[in-house]
Amino acid sequence: MQCATIKKGVNCSFMKKKGCSFNEGHCQQIVEPCQGCSRVSTYEDGDFCNVVPSPSTKWRVGPCSFATHVDRKREEVAQKINPLKASKRAAASRK
């Protein structure tokens, strides 16, 4: 349905026939870490996220999973190799 509270004319999954079904009855404005994200849109009442109605809850534990401006780097864990097993594998592959 089309949002009628803050994001007027935007499709919103929280809008029902009785109004906004989100906890507080409307979406919350973005928090500081959201600045620079491509999912943020500016409306009459301020800047709001297009994906999450409550951005502060997404940033509480760590980086938002929808943030487009955050680099997600995976740490490569160096595995310990047992030299005895490695030599046996190498010998087996030579046969």
Side-chain angles (χ1 to χ4, degrees), residues 53-80:
S54 178
S56 61
T57 57
K58 290 296 282 184
W59 286 95
R60 188 177 304 151
V61 177
C64 176
S65 57
F66 295 110
T68 58
H69 63 293
V70 176
D71 291 335
R72 291 175 185 82
K73 296 180 182 176
R74 293 187 177 188
E75 294 180 22
E76 292 184 21
V77 179
Q79 281 186 313
K80 276 192 162 182

